[in-house]
Amino acid sequence: DTGVSQDPRHKITKRGQNVTFRCDPISEHNRLYWYRQTLGQGPEFLTYFQNEAQLEKSRLLSDRFSAERPKGSFSTLEIQRTEQGDSAMYLCASSPRGPDEQYFGPGTRLTVT
Amino acid sequence: DQQVKQNSPSLSVQEGRISILNCDYTNSMFDYFLWYKKYPAEGPTFLISISSIKDKNEDGRFTVFLNKSAKHLSLHIVPSQPGDSAVYFCAAYAGTYKYIFGTGTRLKVLA
């Protein structure tokens, strides 16, 4: 399967804990996006990478959130000191060029208890 | 402030009939739009796009219409099939690598 993959698919954590999610984009795609989706809403943009460079961050991405794409391939999204409001689906997408269609992974569902 | 709006949260259509999903946007600078379909427990899947230099784009059973003066686009599915039942999102390219999604419309195609 050459689609976008995300790991884990589900994560339950206690408030205050740190969590890290991984995204593996389609191999030839140099553009990578992270989104957050809550119930009844569309995906909300969090951040964008072109190769290893993080070129855009939403103000939704508080200082508890950090994302990396160290070698321009896979990416990680870390949330420190999780809060209940962080409970959401975290989606990763990649695209070969922009603006263009994005290919989404299945998402990581985070539940903070 | 929601810059991309899908005012109908749900829509039911009989199999074989036309489904029309609507999307409105507020920023006239948006010049590229996409539609995505999302099944439960999966990420959104790209359906069709349209650039502002066109007013229509067609791909099989799916056609997107763009009315720039009204800041409105619509997705037509003809004929609708039960497998089309999903949540549909429209999205606008807002520049600086950012896409803005609507809140989605849940389509149910009745057999």
Side-chain angles (χ1 to χ4, degrees), chain A residues 9 33 42 48 99-102 105, chain B residues 36 41 43-44 46 89 97 99 102:
Chain A
R9 294 291 304 275
Y33 305 80
Y48 163 73
D100 206 341
E101 65 266 27
Q102 299 174 313
Chain B
Y36 286 85
F46 170 75
F89 293 99
Y97 321 111
Y99 294 81

Side-chain angles (χ1 to χ4, degrees), chain A residues 18-87:
Chain A
N18 298 345
V19 294
T20 300
F21 310 140
R22 177 179 170 123
C23 170
D24 287 89
I26 294 171
S27 58
E28 61 267 27
H29 289 184
N30 64 349
R31 295 168 187 252
L32 187 146
Y33 305 80
W34 283 99
Y35 291 87
R36 180 173 67 188
Q37 185 178 16
T38 53
L39 199 62
Q41 300 297 314
E44 290 179 288
F45 172 83
L46 289 179
T47 191
Y48 163 73
F49 288 87
Q50 186 164 319
N51 299 312
E52 66 275 12
Q54 187 175 22
L55 297 184
E56 184 71 18
K57 284 172 59 171
S58 166
R59 62 179 183 273
L60 291 174
L61 213 66
S62 77
D63 56 6
R64 296 185 298 106
F65 287 70
S66 62
E68 293 182 343
R69 194 181 182 198
K71 296 181 181 178
S73 57
F74 73 92
S75 176
T76 57
L77 178 68
E78 181 183 16
I79 309 174
Q80 296 183 326
R81 305 181 303 280
T82 52
E83 301 172 356
Q84 286 187 317
D86 297 332
S87 295

